[in-house]
């Protein structure tokens, strides 16, 4: 069995937490190997609602530390990745029928102090929550909350006429799967080894080292490491029990969040935050230029995490929920795509999936060389989670450098937050054959690296094979050689979301082209 050199850290899991820890550790001078059993961001980290947000509804659960940390991170992250993240304004329409979920601390408190409200959210309480949301995290760049008259504001036009009062507040969008890939790329640039399609089958302590066995395209490999990080996401508990075979009382609560995508429902660029009569909330968000994303559900998930699917019941629930707000009802036949991810929440014994904590827990087993298990976490706090993970391991690696990742650009993000329009203008001038929509997509996918990908092209033909929907051979080769992609699914649903716009024939053409490239490489 092939054996590699001793590494400081071996990280299991190629989601956002694993790749974020790999980047942070490599930048501190530690030697790092990361193994992912499939493609990067193949599970939970490509199935989020795609927001850098503080979690406005978490205030109802008194999760003030989590909300503060997430709010502080929004602008820190925005500065490091203005290509794949950008500010968005969220419209929160008010209805007196809005209710708390019955088991939140806020609902219980209001039930005692104001029993006549019978679980309804009063307008003053929502405004108080928005005031806290504006001020808990030291907001500097994003604009604050403002009151709306939905009878005259354009944001009210797509809504039913009964909505008059509303508020508008700030959060940020993020291309979640691209965030993972760019963290992995930056980790590799700083010396880390990134192994995709490598399943960890066994890990055991041997003296001062971990012996880790992986099964990959070239067969079995043995890795030696001074510490093991279990960032397996929904599989974190399975890794502890069935890979390391270490007894544990800690576990995860698997919560499924499903989303639907429909053709664009309105013509402005703001999002909606809708509150339901059952106490839950959903978002409606402009998505990939031509669509609207609606989600998410919160349901306990049974069965393998990799088999999470949006059920018909969840789809119908989201359609009905959004239809209580939009003037034109949303029908199941309008749905062009669904996706579902399993959140590996720390099992804190909460009564419902909605009430389960979104905070993360980092647990170190130091009975020999350390094992760090990562439970839970939000995409917004991944960078802080990585810093805290390295702090947990600091005593084992006194040679490691200090924390460094705050506001350090990810690949392609080396331009100012307010420089988006200037960058688009540069791209449009350099490649005049691109449409404005193509310029926007490329800028939001690659940032300043667009110029490395397209090079000296002066016409579309210079970019090689045209796969349709704006995807060209030049970009595909970049994904293959620089971003760990191997299949059409990797490219169409994680490196991009062009699977929404391609025909079946175009997707099949990409698959055949990739197969031909793989065959040529094997000769």
């Amino acid at each position: 069995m092939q054996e590699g050199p001793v590494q400081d850290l071996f990280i299991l899991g190629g989601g956002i937490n694993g790749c974020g820890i790999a980047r942070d550790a490599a930048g501190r001078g530690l030697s790092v190997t990361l193994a992912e059993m499939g493609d990067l961001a193949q599970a939970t980290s490509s199935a989020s609602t795609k927001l850098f947000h503080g979690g406005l509804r978490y205030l109802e659960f008194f999760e003030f530390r989590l909300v503060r940390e997430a709010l502080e991170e929004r602008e820190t992250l925005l500065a490091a990745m203005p290509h794949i993240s950008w500010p968005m304004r969220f419209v929160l329409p008010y209805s007196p029928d809005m209710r708390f979920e019955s088991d939140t601390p806020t609902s219980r408190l209001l039930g005692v102090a104001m029993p006549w409200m019978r679980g309804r959210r009063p307008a003053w309480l929502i405004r108080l929550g928005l005031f806290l949301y504006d001020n808990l995290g030291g907001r500097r760049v994003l604009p604050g909350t403002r009151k709306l008259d939905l009878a005259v504001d354009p944001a009210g036009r797509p809504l039913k006429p009964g909505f008059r009062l509303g508020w508008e507040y700030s959060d940020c969008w993020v291309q979640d799967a691209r965030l993972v890939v760019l963290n992995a790329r930056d980790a590799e640039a700083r010396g880390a080894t990134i192994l995709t399609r490598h399943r960890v089958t066994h890990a055991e302590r041997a003296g001062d080292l971990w012996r880790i066995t992986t099964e990959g395209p070239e067969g079995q490999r043995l890795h030696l490491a001074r510490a093991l990080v279990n960032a397996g996401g929904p599989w974190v508990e399975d890794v502890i029990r069935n890979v390391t075979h270490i007894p544990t009382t800690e576990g995860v609560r698997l919560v499924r969040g499903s989303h639907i995508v429909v053709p664009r429902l309105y013509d402005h660029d703001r999002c909606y935050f809708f509150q339901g009569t059952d106490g839950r909330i959903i978002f409606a968000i402009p998505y990939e230029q031509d669509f609207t994303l609606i989600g998410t559900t919160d349901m306990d998930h049974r069965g393998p995490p990799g088999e999470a699917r949006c059920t018909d019941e969840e789809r119908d629930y989201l359609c009905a929920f959004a239809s209580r707000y939009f003037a034109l009802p949303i029908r199941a036949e309008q749905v062009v795509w669904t996706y579902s991810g399993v959140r590996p929440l720390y099992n804190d014994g909460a009564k419902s999936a909605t009430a389960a904590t979104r905070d993360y827990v980092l647990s170190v087993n130091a009975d020999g060389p350390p094992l760090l298990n990562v439970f839970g976490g939000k995409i917004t706090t991944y960078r802080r989670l990585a810093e805290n993970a390295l702090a947990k391991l600091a005593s084992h690696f006194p040679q490691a450098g200090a924390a460094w990742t705050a506001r350090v650009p990810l690949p392609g993000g080396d331009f100012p937050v307010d420089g988006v329009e200037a960058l688009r203008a540069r791209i449009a001038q350099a490649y005049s054959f691109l449409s404005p929509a193509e310029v926007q997509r490329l800028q939001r996918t690659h940032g300043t690296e667009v110029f490395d990908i397209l090079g000296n092209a002066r016409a579309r033909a210079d970019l090689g094979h045209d796969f349709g929907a704006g995807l060209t051979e030049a970009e595909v080769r970049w994904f293959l050689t620089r971003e760990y992609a191997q299949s059409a699914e990797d490219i169409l649903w994680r490196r991009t979301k062009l699977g929404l716009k391609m025909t079946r024939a175009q997707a099949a053409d990409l698959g055949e082209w990739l197969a031909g490239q793989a065959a040529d490489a094997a000769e």
Side-chain angles (χ1 to χ4, degrees):
M1 187 188 306
Q2 183 181 354
E3 181 179 314
V6 176
Q7 299 283 284
D8 291 321
L9 292 188
F10 187 97
I11 301 171
L12 187 158
I16 187 54
N17 290 334
C19 291
I21 292 170
R23 179 192 184 222
D24 193 331
R28 295 175 191 241
L30 300 182
S31 54
V32 178
T33 294
L34 179 146
E36 161 56 43
M37 63 181 176
D39 183 29
L40 297 176
Q42 187 164 303
T44 306
S45 293
S46 60
S48 74
T49 311
K50 310 182 194 309
L51 299 176
F52 279 153
H53 68 129
L56 180 59
R57 74 177 183 86
Y58 303 153
L59 292 174
E60 291 184 7
F61 296 89
F62 297 169
E63 295 260 21
F64 297 114
R65 190 212 62 79
L66 174 63
V67 174
R68 180 186 297 109
E69 181 176 275
L71 289 173
E72 289 170 349
E73 280 295 280
R74 288 183 312 180
E75 295 188 14
T76 298
L77 296 171
L78 183 62
M81 55 195 81
H83 51 330
I84 63 166
S85 179
W86 52 88
M88 300 188 85
R89 296 289 280 173
F90 287 72
V91 175
L92 194 163
Y94 177 72
S95 165
D97 294 328
M98 295 169 180
R99 293 182 180 274
F100 296 102
E101 192 174 16
S102 60
D103 62 350
T104 72
T106 302
S107 67
R108 292 193 294 268
L109 181 63
L110 265 291
V112 173
M114 303 173 64
W116 60 88
M117 293 299 296
R118 297 181 180 179
R120 293 190 298 272
R121 288 183 174 101
W124 64 264
L125 188 64
I126 295 174
R127 186 63 188 91
L128 174 61
L130 289 167
F131 173 81
L132 292 173
Y133 204 70
D134 278 346
N135 293 283
L136 271 177
R139 177 179 51 85
R140 294 183 299 277
V141 175
L142 301 175
T145 297
R146 70 184 185 101
K147 187 177 179 180
L148 298 179
D149 181 351
L150 295 174
V152 297
D153 191 281
R157 292 173 191 162
L159 303 178
K160 290 181 176 178
F163 293 102
R164 181 72 181 255
L165 173 63
W167 296 274
E168 181 184 278
Y169 70 94
S170 291
D171 264 322
C172 297
W173 176 264
V174 64
Q175 311 268 44
D176 53 3
R178 292 212 54 74
L179 174 65
V180 177
V181 170
L182 295 183
N183 268 273
R185 280 187 54 202
D186 202 48
E188 186 175 48
R190 298 173 190 277
T193 298
I194 307 296
L195 302 174
T196 61
R197 274 82 179 183
H198 281 70
R199 180 185 296 272
V200 176
T201 58
H202 183 68
E204 63 181 359
R205 288 175 166 126
D208 294 334
L209 298 176
W210 279 96
R211 292 169 57 89
I212 304 119
T213 304
T214 59
E215 185 76 40
E218 299 84 25
Q220 286 192 335
R221 294 177 60 179
L222 178 64
H223 309 264
L224 303 176
R226 297 180 180 89
L228 176 63
V229 175
N230 173 13
W235 292 271
V236 61
E237 186 176 349
D238 180 70
V239 169
I240 299 171
R241 298 183 186 279
N242 300 317
V243 176
T244 68
H245 301 283
I246 293 175
T248 182
T249 59
E250 295 179 303
V252 290
R253 181 174 190 160
L254 300 182
V255 175
R256 186 173 68 250
S258 294
H259 302 75
I260 61 175
V261 176
V262 298
R264 188 161 185 161
L265 297 175
Y266 49 88
D267 58 6
H268 61 77
D269 61 358
R270 286 179 279 181
C271 314
Y272 290 97
F273 179 114
F274 293 150
Q275 303 177 85
T277 55
D278 59 358
R280 298 184 180 183
I281 66 99
I282 63 169
F283 296 101
I285 306 171
Y287 188 57
E288 296 297 323
Q289 300 172 333
D290 301 321
F291 304 94
T292 299
L293 171 67
I294 299 172
T296 178
T297 59
D298 269 308
M299 299 185 66
D300 284 311
H301 179 74
R302 312 297 179 192
E307 296 179 4
R309 299 290 182 272
C310 178
T311 65
D312 289 348
E313 290 76 15
E314 288 176 293
R315 177 203 63 200
D316 294 343
Y317 170 82
L318 292 172
C319 288
F321 197 144
S323 296
R324 288 197 288 270
Y325 282 85
F326 286 119
L328 297 177
I330 299 166
R331 304 179 305 277
E333 55 266 29
Q334 290 177 263
V335 176
V336 298
W337 183 48
T338 68
Y339 67 90
S340 189
V342 176
R343 305 182 187 101
L345 306 182
Y346 186 73
N347 193 352
D348 60 356
K351 292 182 180 179
S352 70
T354 306
T357 182
R358 266 52 178 179
D359 211 344
Y360 55 83
V361 174
L362 303 174
S363 176
V364 177
N365 180 308
D367 187 16
L371 166 65
L372 174 68
N373 296 306
V374 180
F375 295 93
K378 285 164 42 66
I379 195 168
T380 312
T381 54
Y382 88 90
R383 192 197 65 82
R384 293 282 283 270
L385 182 152
E387 283 189 344
N388 289 331
L390 270 294
K392 287 273 189 180
L393 297 171
S395 62
H396 300 277
F397 300 104
Q399 78 278 20
W404 63 276
T405 56
R407 298 179 177 267
V408 175
L410 288 171
D414 53 339
F415 63 97
V417 172
D418 60 359
V420 171
E421 293 303 324
L423 176 57
R424 286 184 192 166
R426 286 176 56 205
I427 296 170
Q429 182 177 19
Y431 308 105
S432 57
F433 54 87
L434 295 175
S435 70
E438 288 173 320
V439 169
Q440 183 191 64
R441 184 191 72 80
L442 288 167
Q443 176 267 312
R444 287 183 166 180
T445 304
H446 303 289
T448 57
E449 292 189 320
V450 168
F451 303 102
D452 298 321
I453 297 168
L454 304 188
N456 295 321
R458 291 294 174 263
R460 195 174 297 273
D462 296 335
L463 301 178
H465 191 98
D466 188 342
F467 297 100
L471 183 67
T472 65
E473 181 179 336
E475 189 176 12
V476 169
R477 289 193 181 279
W478 178 269
F479 292 139
L480 297 178
T481 59
R482 301 293 294 275
E483 296 196 353
Y484 318 100
Q486 296 185 23
S487 70
E489 181 182 349
D490 297 347
I491 293 169
L492 297 181
W493 295 106
R494 285 183 286 276
R495 305 308 181 276
T496 73
K497 290 296 184 288
L498 290 175
L500 282 168
K501 299 183 179 183
M502 275 193 170
T503 65
R504 290 185 179 181
Q506 289 171 330
D509 178 36
L510 174 62
E512 292 170 5
W513 187 90
L514 291 170
Q517 295 296 304
D520 291 344
E523 291 180 356

